[in-house]
């Protein structure tokens, strides 16, 4: 017997309303504490997808592919000479090594970054460096990126935004993610 989507998610109820109604179930109908049964994970996932879509649209409007703005700003934040080892870059950027390689390849082809081998050092060591063109791109886009982020979070007051940041940090740390505080 197949279950139609209409039976699971009636058109009259939004997903948010369904999550809220699940929280009101009698205690005997649930096996998790009431404060944990609110669809938090689902909401976080949906918000993550929504924000990622917004960020991809920003990147596309400015001629960048997904994640390339993060590469530019990670290198820019490192300070002159805007260069990082691949390992340090991986830690700072929170993406996989395969994704970094692909992004760097694309960005190097467009003259935004370059791979640099330190003179007199280990020839196997490669550093990723922001080119002057990449630095100019990062500097030009950063104010617009901040405006975009403010817009995406504009539903929250300053206090709510600070509280959300604190709670998300707490959850991340409880799962072992201490890369960014």
């Amino acid at each position: 017997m197949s279950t139609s989507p209409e039976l699971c998610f009636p058109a009259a109820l939004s997903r948010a309303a369904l999550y809220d109604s699940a929280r009101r179930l009698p205690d005997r109908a649930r096996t998790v504490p009431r404060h944990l049964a609110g669809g938090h994970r689902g909401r976080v996932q949906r918000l993550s997808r929504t924000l990622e879509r917004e960020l991809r649209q920003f990147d596309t409007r400015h001629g960048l592919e997904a994640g390339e703005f993060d590469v530019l700003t990670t290198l820019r934040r490192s300070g002159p000479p805007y260069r990082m080892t691949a390992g340090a870059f991986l830690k700072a950027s929170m993406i996989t090594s395969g994704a970094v390689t692909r992004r760097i390849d694309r960005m190097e082809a467009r003259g935004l970054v370059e791979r640099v081998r330190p003179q007199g050092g280990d020839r196997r060591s490669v550093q990723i460096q922001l080119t002057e063109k990449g630095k100019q791109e990062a500097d030009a886009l950063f104010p617009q990126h901040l405006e975009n982020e403010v817009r995406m979070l504009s539903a929250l007051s300053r206090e709510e935004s600070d509280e959300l940041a604190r709670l998300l940090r707490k959850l991340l740390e409880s799962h072992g993610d201490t890369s960014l505080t």
Side-chain angles (χ1 to χ4, degrees):
M1 178 178 176
S2 69
T3 304
S4 72
E6 292 77 26
L7 293 176
C8 296
F9 296 101
L13 291 178
S14 68
R15 284 190 172 173
L18 286 171
Y19 287 135
D20 292 338
S21 66
R23 292 188 74 187
R24 292 188 295 269
L25 288 172
D27 287 338
R28 68 184 182 284
R30 290 189 274 132
T31 58
V32 295
R34 181 178 294 274
H35 73 284
L36 297 178
H40 301 358
R41 182 188 53 80
R43 286 181 173 144
V44 168
Q45 285 179 321
R46 288 190 355 255
L47 179 60
S48 176
R49 285 191 299 267
T50 299
L51 295 177
E52 286 294 325
R53 183 175 54 246
E54 295 272 342
L55 292 172
R56 278 192 310 274
Q57 289 170 355
F58 176 86
D59 288 346
T60 300
R61 280 194 307 271
H62 297 286
L64 299 172
E65 294 189 35
E68 291 182 349
F69 181 76
D70 291 336
V71 172
L72 293 174
T73 56
T74 298
L75 290 170
R76 183 69 170 97
R77 281 192 316 265
S78 72
Y82 312 112
R83 179 188 305 169
M84 299 175 82
T85 65
F89 184 83
L90 277 171
K91 285 182 182 176
S93 65
M94 301 181 301
I95 55 178
T96 66
S97 60
V100 167
T101 300
R102 288 188 298 277
R103 284 182 191 162
I104 298 304
D105 287 346
R106 289 190 312 255
M107 295 176 75
E108 190 173 34
R110 295 195 339 260
L112 298 172
V113 299
E114 61 186 345
R115 289 179 172 94
V116 177
R117 296 193 190 286
Q119 291 185 353
D122 184 349
R123 294 185 51 89
R124 296 169 294 173
S125 176
V126 175
Q127 296 181 330
I128 304 161
Q129 181 171 322
L130 201 57
T131 63
E132 185 58 34
K133 179 181 177 181
K135 181 180 173 292
Q136 290 173 2
E137 185 88 5
D139 291 348
L141 289 179
F142 193 70
Q144 296 171 57
H145 172 74
L146 288 179
E147 288 175 16
N148 189 47
E149 290 214 343
V150 166
R151 181 191 58 77
M152 289 189 302
L153 299 174
S154 64
L156 302 177
S157 70
R158 175 64 184 249
E159 293 78 21
E160 290 169 329
S161 180
D162 290 347
E163 179 69 358
L164 177 62
R166 185 188 70 74
L167 293 170
L168 291 172
R169 183 180 312 111
K170 182 177 181 176
L171 279 172
L172 286 168
E173 288 173 354
S174 76
H175 290 279
D177 184 342
T178 58
S179 59
L180 295 176
T181 59

